[in-house]
């Protein structure tokens, strides 16, 4: 995606983070490095297939880093890159917006 020519900056942003699951994965990684299973458990609604697809796309966009340890059983960690961490403010604002809506429902 990064090699694609964009005329609209929002289109680029949406290609990077505009899916149902990507912002959730990124948001949970704001807390720091997480093992694959631990990260997937933070989003119980996501299927294994969709989780794998999502983290691969985020890695391709250089928003997260995947580290595989040569252990048995294999251990995989995910963490935000500097580029991924630059979304912190946006992700926190989205989180607060959702909290505000929930409060208004009560």
């Amino acid at each position: 995606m990064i090699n694609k020519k964009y005329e609209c900056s929002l289109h680029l942003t949406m290609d990077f983070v505009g899916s149902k699951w990507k912002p959730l994965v990124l948001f949970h990684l704001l807390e720091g490095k997480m093992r694959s299973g631990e990260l997937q458990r933070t989003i119980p609604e996501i299927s294994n297939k969709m989780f794998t697809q999502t983290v691969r796309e985020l890695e391709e966009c250089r928003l997260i880093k995947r580290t595989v340890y040569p252990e048995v059983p294999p251990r995989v960690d995910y963490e935000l890159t500097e580029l991924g961490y630059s979304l912190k403010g946006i992700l926190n604002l989205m989180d607060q917006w959702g909290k505000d809506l929930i409060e208004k429902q009560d």
Side-chain angles (χ1 to χ4, degrees):
M1 276 187 260
I2 203 150
N3 295 327
K4 183 177 173 182
K5 178 79 171 152
Y6 289 90
E7 298 296 323
C8 174
S9 55
L10 184 58
H11 190 169
L12 180 143
T13 303
M14 295 305 292
D15 275 355
F16 273 57
V17 298
S19 78
K20 181 176 182 175
W21 305 113
K22 288 179 185 178
L24 291 169
V25 169
L26 293 167
F27 180 76
H28 289 293
L29 286 174
L30 287 173
E31 298 172 17
K33 186 185 297 188
M34 296 178 86
R35 292 184 70 167
S36 180
E38 176 186 16
L39 178 58
Q40 190 169 358
R41 281 190 296 278
T42 65
I43 311 167
E45 304 88 1
I46 196 170
S47 68
N48 287 333
K49 178 184 175 187
M50 189 51 72
F51 176 77
T52 300
Q53 180 181 332
T54 300
V55 293
R56 283 184 182 160
E57 289 174 4
L58 289 170
E59 187 179 15
E60 181 183 319
C61 292
R62 299 185 192 116
L63 295 174
I64 65 172
K65 177 183 167 193
R66 178 179 184 254
T67 305
V68 180
Y69 298 91
E71 301 174 354
V72 177
R75 181 176 64 142
V76 178
D77 287 341
Y78 291 99
E79 62 186 311
L80 292 176
T81 62
E82 186 175 330
L83 181 62
Y85 198 75
S86 70
L87 292 165
K88 179 181 180 177
I90 294 167
L91 294 167
N92 283 331
L93 284 171
M94 290 171 66
D95 180 51
Q96 187 58 55
W97 186 82
K99 288 177 182 174
D100 293 346
L101 281 181
I102 289 170
E103 285 181 14
K104 289 178 182 177
Q105 289 177 340
D106 295 337

